[in-house]
Amino acid sequence: MPTSPAQAPTVPAHVLPHRTPAQLLVVARQGLTEAARTRPDGLRYAAAHLAALRAAAALLAARARPAPTRRNRITSVWILLASVAPELDEWATYFAAGASKRAAAEAGIPRVVTAREADDLLRAAEQFVTVVETALGLAHQPTLDGLHRPARLGGSDAAPGAAAA
């Protein structure tokens, strides 16, 4: 990893995110949660892929410095990631390969991905977000369900609307 801004790889200024790496990782985690709760396979696949994109953007925001260039070429975040973080090249290749399926799923094309493909991508995106968090020293602290909610006095600890056993 570069030790000074002068050594940081450059990327076109217009592709750098406008959020901090920490903010992007929070949004990535929210995307993973959304993907896990989404039942249509295509939408689950798309949400997981977008979460991975946000994690890649967090790494770009942290490690790259802007370079003035013209906007005449579209550059994939996965190509930029491979140049800024060569140690994540395999991840970049993996997610780049799924970009067209994500676009098709977002467009509403039915059966573009199977349930297994969606589940596999979700697991891979979860791993990738964790790898990026670790690389940036921003490890995720998962919340445990129930700890944020005080117990009700004289009542059940079941979630509101949950059926009693």
Side-chain angles (χ1 to χ4, degrees):
M1 188 166 132
T3 56
S4 74
Q7 295 174 331
T10 61
V11 297
H14 69 276
V15 301
L16 283 175
H18 298 288
R19 293 181 179 175
T20 67
Q23 290 169 331
L24 288 163
L25 287 169
V26 166
V27 175
R29 282 282 168 197
Q30 290 168 344
L32 291 174
T33 300
E34 176 189 336
R37 292 180 180 155
T38 301
R39 289 302 93 203
D41 301 330
L43 295 178
R44 187 167 65 257
Y45 187 96
H49 197 273
L50 286 172
L53 272 170
R54 290 178 178 123
L59 200 126
L60 290 177
R63 289 195 185 174
R65 63 183 173 91
T69 61
R70 293 189 308 193
R71 290 181 173 216
N72 58 354
R73 217 176 68 205
I74 296 176
T75 305
S76 162
V77 70
W78 303 117
I79 291 170
L80 294 173
L81 180 67
S83 67
V84 170
E87 71 276 16
L88 300 179
D89 182 57
E90 288 182 34
W91 285 107
T93 301
Y94 174 79
F95 286 112
S100 60
K101 280 190 179 186
R102 185 201 80 234
E106 288 177 320
I109 298 173
R111 296 179 299 283
V112 71
V113 298
T114 65
R116 176 158 185 167
E117 288 173 314
D119 292 341
D120 288 349
L121 189 81
L122 177 56
R123 280 188 295 277
E126 289 170 341
Q127 291 172 349
F128 178 67
V129 171
T130 299
V131 166
V132 171
E133 288 168 337
T134 302
L136 296 178
L138 300 170
H140 173 65
Q141 186 67 39
T143 58
L144 300 175
D145 288 341
L147 291 182
H148 65 280
R149 185 182 57 217
R152 287 188 290 251
L153 295 175
S156 166
D157 282 340

